[in-house]
Amino acid sequence: MELAEVFGCREQTVALPDGARVTDLLVRLEARYGERFAGICYEPETRQISSQVQILVNGRNIAFLEGPDTRLSDGDDVFFLVPAMGG
């Protein structure tokens, strides 16, 4: 399942408090979309962001920023890249 299917759209706006981090966004999205979101974005046993998901903030992979602790600012674009599966 693709995240667009979980979200029901290809993009959306999420309001977060000042000083929010990527982790806060993930918590908000999981609260909204439940296990369907978590099953794609998290490793089931560790609750760590899945190695199959790349999260970009304004085009920069959070792996090269501060990881899940990357701070978000008003107007930031966050992209979830999940490779296509199948054959």
Side-chain angles (χ1 to χ4, degrees), residues 2 38-39 51:
E2 290 185 13
S51 60

Side-chain angles (χ1 to χ4, degrees), residues 15-85:
L16 296 169
D18 289 339
R21 301 167 295 143
V22 169
T23 299
D24 300 314
L25 174 62
L26 296 174
V27 168
R28 179 75 53 94
L29 291 173
E30 185 175 3
R32 189 179 293 175
Y33 298 104
E35 288 187 26
R36 296 182 331 166
F37 172 78
I40 294 172
C41 288
Y42 294 113
E43 296 292 344
E45 288 122 26
T46 63
R47 299 288 298 154
Q48 297 293 317
I49 296 172
S50 171
S51 60
Q52 297 298 311
V53 175
Q54 293 183 33
I55 302 173
L56 289 82
V57 175
N58 299 323
R60 296 186 63 205
N61 192 319
I62 64 168
F64 301 106
L65 299 171
E66 296 178 51
D69 289 327
T70 299
R71 296 261 179 213
L72 299 172
S73 299
D74 189 33
D76 281 349
D77 289 320
V78 179
F79 296 91
F80 293 86
L81 302 177
V82 182
M85 304 289 245

Side-chain angles (χ1 to χ4, degrees), residues 1-9 12 29 33-34 36-38 40:
M1 175 178 291
E2 290 185 13
L3 281 175
E5 293 174 32
V6 172
F7 294 153
C9 59
Q12 62 180 283
L29 291 173
Y33 298 104
R36 296 182 331 166
F37 172 78
I40 294 172

